[in-house]
Amino acid sequence: MPTLPDRAWAQLTRARVELDDLTVCLCASVDRDRPALNYDQCFVRDFAVCAPAFLLRGEADVVERFLETVVRLQMREHAVEAFRPRRGLMPASFRPVEQEGEKVLRGDYGEESIARVTPVDSVLWWLITLRAYTQSTGDTGLADRDDFQTAIHLILELTLEGSFELFPTLLVPDGSFMIDRRLGVYGHPLEVQSLFFAALRSALDFLGDDDEWREAVERRLRNLAFHVGRYYWLDRSSIHALRTNALDQYGEEVTNVFNLFPESIPDWIDNWIPDDGSGYFAGNVGPGRIDFRFFTQGNMLACSTGLATPEQRSGLMSLVEARWDDLAGDAPLRIVYPALEGEEWRVVTGADRKNEPWRYHNAGWWPCLLWSFTNAALVSGRDDLLARAVESIEARIEGDRWPEYYDGRSDPAPGERARRWQSWSMGAYLYARACLEDPSAIGLYCWMDRIDEISPEAAAPPEDPASARGP
Ligand code: GLC
């Protein structure tokens, strides 16, 4: 009798998308009972989560072809026009189409997507996957190739240059990543900042010592770690400080840098964070604004990439343990907590019916998040939490036909509009299962050292982010 991982693998490989008889990617889902929309396409972020399943099974050639394919789809022209994707951008998704009798790949850079959202995260996932491929195979030749070096440098240009901002965080529009519908995740969402951090750390592996970008990348990493560590971290004492801060301060020496008003702190938070050093990174920080929602992917990535300090890492894992029913429950893991409800839901989501409270992106449960949870739990020595999450998933997911997500406040049920046989639900499970058996596998996606340990001049963070000139 094949095991559950064997059966998941067999299902996953049904999603292969081929070009010239070779697999180049997986489509998002093979559910034929629902309208395909774009679920029959290869999503860069979805495949990135499935890639380790191939790497750990010795099918690195599939990952290599995926990486090459996305390089070919990266925008190369310098577009100064609106309605044209910027140079360096990689598509959210792509699919084979017939063109003059030939099968070619066509990317979607946001111009066809629902609500025309921009895929900021594709370039970041691509770099993270390239590092995992290189770590797994030891093949450094791929990243050294001219076309790959050009791709890497175009990503650095796109993400490190050309912003109005002083802050090291990336300023992005709503819905520009995994949460690709309006959900108040514009500005400086943690999910993007953590991915950006992981991507820049990955890029360092591919830049020679004399590369002109090396210093800029290291500086940006240090500034990001400083900025997110200082302004996003929430625990009982930082919340107390927010409540007692002075307001409307002007000048260089201020305590309330973002001019946050205590009335904006939600009531639920005090009882939710235990008073034992537990804490987490806020969902978003900007002028006059902290988004107090807990976003799982960004927090988990902060643990596994060295963005969080060891104390923050253990504080985060204690919070997950203390709030297990809210964040992991029976269908690990919840994408964000809590849901936007009532008038807030109407205003912030634009009354989006797919994102009603406790559904889909608005606090639904996403099995694909097991990928980032695996990294975070194992890097923090919380194998017990990972085992618990995997056990919950194993108890139901195959019977539910590998749904894309679950809905529900406390009792998750397969999402009302969820696709079944969703690739990244299977890919994430396979990765989690493999890492439970061999925890060293997380080396593909984790960094044990902090960023300030990798380069000595980073030891002292800038006193104020504004004093950190340059990228
Ligand atoms: C939905 C999700 C997105 C995912 C896509 C394909 O649009 O919000 O994150 O990449 O489906 O699975």
Side-chain angles (χ1 to χ4, degrees):
M1 170 80 173
T3 61
L4 181 58
D6 290 338
R7 297 196 297 275
W9 173 252
Q11 289 295 344
L12 183 67
T13 53
R14 283 171 58 213
R16 286 174 190 261
V17 172
E18 301 196 334
L19 195 72
D20 301 330
D21 296 328
L22 294 170
T23 305
V24 292
C25 194
L26 298 173
C27 58
S29 117
V30 290
D31 190 340
R32 307 262 179 260
D33 297 334
R34 286 180 181 261
L37 282 177
N38 50 356
Y39 283 88
D40 57 353
Q41 299 199 21
C42 308
F43 279 76
V44 172
R45 66 176 78 88
D46 297 39
F47 185 77
V49 168
C50 299
F54 287 89
L55 294 174
L56 297 175
R57 288 217 169 211
E59 287 203 34
D61 55 315
V62 172
V63 180
E64 183 182 0
R65 280 194 294 274
F66 160 80
L67 291 164
E68 284 175 323
T69 303
V70 179
V71 167
R72 285 205 300 277
L73 290 166
Q74 184 183 36
M75 296 310 293
R76 292 294 160 108
E77 272 169 55
H78 186 56
V80 283
E81 284 285 331
F83 299 122
R84 295 189 49 76
R86 297 281 142 163
R87 179 161 65 184
L89 197 75
M90 289 171 165
S93 62
F94 56 90
R95 63 187 182 280
V97 292
E98 286 278 312
Q99 205 175 291
E100 290 161 17
E102 240 186 277
K103 212 172 169 193
V104 294
L105 292 172
R106 183 188 158 107
D108 177 1
Y109 302 80
E111 74 279 26
E112 292 183 81
S113 64
I114 295 174
R116 303 291 183 262
V117 284
T118 309
V120 168
D121 61 339
S122 290
V123 290
L124 310 177
W125 282 113
W126 181 84
L127 277 171
I128 293 166
T129 308
L130 178 60
R131 174 177 178 269
Y133 166 86
T134 310
Q135 292 272 322
S136 165
T137 58
D139 168 15
T140 52
L142 187 67
D144 280 346
R145 262 169 42 179
D146 286 349
D147 53 341
F148 273 63
Q149 282 291 311
T150 305
I152 295 163
H153 286 89
L154 287 178
I155 295 174
L156 296 178
E157 276 170 32
L158 182 66
T159 54
L160 298 183
E161 288 185 343
S163 163
F164 284 109
E165 291 250 280
L166 281 179
F167 300 124
T169 35
L170 275 186
L171 176 66
V172 302
D174 217 341
S176 61
F177 55 103
M178 175 186 179
I179 298 178
D180 54 2
R181 292 169 86 95
R182 186 175 158 195
L183 200 76
V185 285
Y186 57 87
H188 309 89
L190 176 71
E191 308 294 79
V192 172
Q193 314 313 327
S194 289
L195 271 179
F196 184 35
F197 191 82
L200 289 182
R201 286 208 80 166
S202 303
L204 276 185
D205 284 11
F206 312 124
L207 303 177
D209 287 340
D210 54 350
D211 193 298
E212 50 172 345
W213 282 94
R214 194 168 184 91
E215 205 196 315
V217 172
E218 289 188 350
R219 201 165 50 233
R220 188 65 170 255
L221 279 164
R222 294 195 299 271
N223 289 337
L224 253 179
F226 167 74
H227 184 87
V228 174
R230 175 124 151 203
Y231 299 116
Y232 283 62
W233 183 252
L234 295 174
D235 57 18
R236 286 281 186 107
S237 74
S238 71
I239 288 171
H240 176 71
L242 288 174
R243 286 216 166 88
T244 48
N245 262 336
L247 297 170
D248 295 329
Q249 298 168 297
Y250 176 81
E252 290 194 349
E253 304 297 319
V254 303
T255 46
N256 191 352
V257 173
F258 292 99
N259 202 31
L260 296 154
F261 285 76
E263 293 78 4
S264 69
I265 303 172
D267 298 338
W268 57 268
I269 204 153
D270 290 297
N271 293 332
W272 198 68
I273 307 182
D275 191 14
D276 58 358
S278 293
Y280 66 99
F281 293 101
N284 215 323
V285 174
R289 173 184 191 208
I290 290 191
D291 183 339
F292 289 88
R293 287 175 291 173
F294 179 99
F295 284 83
T296 300
Q297 180 96 294
N299 271 292
M300 295 306 117
L301 275 169
C303 284
S304 55
T305 56
L307 179 55
T309 62
E311 296 74 43
Q312 288 168 337
R313 228 166 43 200
S314 70
L316 245 161
M317 283 298 141
S318 327
L319 181 82
V320 172
E321 188 173 24
R323 296 288 164 236
W324 188 260
D325 290 345
D326 294 334
L327 301 176
D330 291 338
L333 290 112
R334 190 159 345 241
I335 190 167
V336 50
Y337 178 91
L340 296 169
E341 299 188 87
E343 186 60 6
E344 206 183 8
W345 163 77
R346 204 182 62 77
V347 172
V348 177
T349 71
D352 184 343
R353 283 189 220 123
K354 195 164 178 183
N355 273 335
E356 276 174 355
W358 310 101
R359 289 176 185 272
Y360 196 49
H361 298 140
N362 189 10
W365 315 79
W366 289 68
C368 62
L369 294 172
L370 258 190
W371 172 84
S372 51
F373 187 63
T374 298
N375 296 327
L378 294 184
V379 120
S380 316
R382 297 307 308 264
D383 313 30
D384 56 324
L385 295 182
L386 178 60
R388 197 170 159 190
V390 167
E391 203 181 299
S392 305
I393 278 290
E394 285 181 337
R396 61 187 313 156
I397 198 156
E398 192 185 37
D400 293 335
R401 293 175 291 139
W402 300 96
E404 177 190 11
Y405 65 95
Y406 288 84
D407 286 335
R409 182 169 188 150
S410 52
D411 220 354
E416 198 188 352
R417 290 158 72 176
R419 300 297 185 287
R420 306 303 164 100
W421 318 117
Q422 183 80 13
S423 295
W424 63 354
S425 299
M426 300 184 234
Y429 163 68
L430 284 168
Y431 178 59
R433 200 1 101 210
C435 292
L436 261 186
E437 270 140 44
D438 175 13
S440 71
I442 58 161
L444 300 183
Y445 295 102
C446 293
W447 287 264
M448 297 308 293
D449 54 347
R450 285 262 301 159
I451 191 66
D452 48 17
E453 289 160 10
I454 64 160
S455 77
E457 75 268 29
E463 276 159 23
D464 183 274
S467 70
R469 305 277 176 236

